[in-house]
Amino acid sequence: MPFDRGKIAAALPSYALGKQVGSGGFGLVLEGRHRQLGRPVAIKVLSMHDAAVERRFLAEAQVMAAFDHPHVVHVHDYADDEGLCVLVMEHCPGGTLTDRLEAGLPPEAACAIALSIADALHAAHTRGIVHRDVKPDNVLFAADGAAKVTDFGLAKIFEGSVVTSGSLVGTPGYAAPEQILGQQVRPATDVYALAGISYHMLTGRPPYPVDLPVPEMLHHQIYRGPELPAGMPDRFATVVGHALRREPSERPESAKEFALLLAAAAAAELGPDWLSRANTPLRVEEDVLRAASGSRGLTTTGGRRLVSRSLRRSRTTGTSATSGGRRRGRHAAPDDEPAPFPSGPAEPLSSEEVRRRIAAWSHDDEGLSGRTWVILALVLALVAALSVVAGVVLGQAQRGA
């Protein structure tokens, strides 16, 4: 929709407006400059006069203003004038991760960017915030090349209560199965999305085919998981596959744990000096940097050396941490303290409810494809058959008793 620049300027008298540099479903982004300080900024303008959207926009401003993190886009100002909502943010002239994916990334840069995102998410999670829309478009690059996470407009703030996704929000292709199904959202939900981004950066293609209709893509995410390419280095495949598991409890417990696992894998695959070749500033916690350099004997603050529970379990049982269950090579790395979020299994949903929620995600699509209906019908038939078998077994057990 067209914007009245005069109205935007009136809402932000301290800023000079520049050219438009982006647009999205909710508005546009302008370049700007603080008149007195000379500081370049990005000005995000809301284009939808809807109370719920405006609340989400304000929530983004509040969440991001609370951060002082080197890998989170800073918020400088917010204005709400006669229905016009404007967010003044740090200027990131390096474009988005989507742009860089199109050009291709070397593995060193891919790992450094993934560690940057993981550190930002861990900082959010320790504040009780789950992003819920981690995707390449929401990763920007500052003038020095540092990766910055933005757009916390879909974030949920936890205060000790069990919070679900409420409405079906997020981005198909990166959203975790529990998010698609409207189940409990937790840090592992963001870890899944980060693993999807890491998959894309390391392989050059997204975890799910982009030519799939949305319902089919969501069905793949819920029931099948992505295929890990044969050419993907063994240690990377183990770490990424571990984080793309369907059950949240089987993924790394935190974004910090994912960072430690990926950092150790990068050191083993790329050499201990790989960060010097990444050309991506990395400002993360010291234990992650030590893991990235191949240091051994990493411990938590209590001095206890840890290995990821899921990876330990997969080595014990002889199965892999990949979504497809293929055996992978040996790999050990430390993990972090348990995250203060619920980690138990989500309540199961009926097949009818699964179908309803998939349909809700694809309301703009022309409808479910014939293939998807067949798949859903087979799933329903399988559930019915299992119910019958369970009834027979239960009846026999009762007669025997």
Side-chain angles (χ1 to χ4, degrees), residues 232-247:
M232 193 176 189
D234 194 63
R235 293 179 178 85
F236 290 149
T238 298
V239 174
V240 172
H242 172 202
L244 287 172
R245 298 295 293 266
R246 186 200 182 285
E247 292 296 332

Side-chain angles (χ1 to χ4, degrees), residues 23 83 86 145 184 186 195 234 257 259 277 291 297 326 386 388:
S23 62
V86 184
Q184 197 175 76
R186 61 196 74 178
D234 194 63
E257 180 186 332
R277 304 190 301 274
R326 294 191 299 272
L386 290 174
V388 171

Side-chain angles (χ1 to χ4, degrees), residues 46-106:
L46 180 67
S47 66
M48 295 180 65
H49 297 286
D50 178 272
V53 176
E54 290 179 11
R55 285 195 299 271
R56 182 179 294 172
F57 197 77
L58 176 58
E60 177 182 351
Q62 292 171 333
V63 169
M64 293 180 68
F67 276 95
D68 182 17
H69 190 280
H71 293 297
V72 174
V73 173
H74 296 155
V75 166
H76 300 308
D77 207 348
Y78 175 83
D80 185 350
D81 183 26
E82 296 182 358
L84 181 70
C85 298
V86 184
L87 188 61
V88 181
M89 305 183 297
E90 174 185 2
H91 185 228
C92 293
T96 69
L97 179 56
T98 300
D99 301 328
R100 301 198 176 197
L101 284 169
E102 291 176 356
L105 286 167

Side-chain angles (χ1 to χ4, degrees), residues 161-372:
S161 60
V162 176
V163 180
T164 63
S165 61
S167 58
L168 299 176
V169 292
T171 300
Y174 297 100
E178 67 271 15
Q179 187 174 4
I180 296 170
L181 296 174
Q183 295 174 336
Q184 197 175 76
V185 171
R186 61 196 74 178
T189 304
D190 284 347
V191 171
Y192 182 99
L194 172 56
I197 290 177
S198 302
Y199 180 112
H200 198 162
M201 290 192 293
L202 290 167
T203 66
R205 68 189 198 214
Y208 298 95
V210 295
D211 57 348
L212 282 179
V214 171
E216 288 192 37
M217 181 185 294
L218 297 176
H219 192 276
H220 275 244
Q221 287 173 254
I222 295 171
Y223 293 110
R224 295 180 57 181
E227 291 293 330
L228 295 173
M232 193 176 189
D234 194 63
R235 293 179 178 85
F236 290 149
T238 298
V239 174
V240 172
H242 172 202
L244 287 172
R245 298 295 293 266
R246 186 200 182 285
E247 292 296 332
S249 60
E250 296 180 2
R251 302 174 204 148
E253 293 180 340
S254 66
K256 176 69 170 293
E257 180 186 332
F258 177 84
L260 289 167
L261 293 169
L262 183 63
E269 291 287 352
L270 306 173
D273 62 341
W274 68 272
L275 273 176
S276 65
R277 304 190 301 274
N279 295 320
T280 303
L282 188 60
R283 304 178 180 101
V284 299
E285 296 181 8
E286 285 297 324
D287 50 355
V288 176
L289 291 175
R290 289 197 300 272
S293 67
S295 298
R296 296 182 179 275
L298 299 173
T299 62
T300 63
T301 53
R304 180 167 55 97
R305 193 174 191 278
L306 296 174
V307 178
S308 163
R309 290 187 307 168
S310 299
L311 290 179
R312 184 193 299 117
R313 181 166 57 247
S314 67
R315 287 201 299 273
T316 302
T317 60
T319 59
S320 80
T322 65
S323 58
R326 294 191 299 272
R327 183 174 176 84
R328 293 288 178 182
R330 293 172 52 197
H331 174 62
D335 68 357
D336 194 23
E337 66 279 358
F341 289 80
S343 59
E347 289 297 320
L349 298 176
S350 67
S351 298
E352 181 61 32
E353 179 65 7
V354 170
R355 185 170 65 179
R356 185 189 69 76
R357 295 191 178 194
I358 290 178
W361 268 71
S362 55
H363 65 277
D364 291 329
D365 196 70
E366 293 181 357
L368 296 177
S369 69
R371 179 184 174 190
T372 303

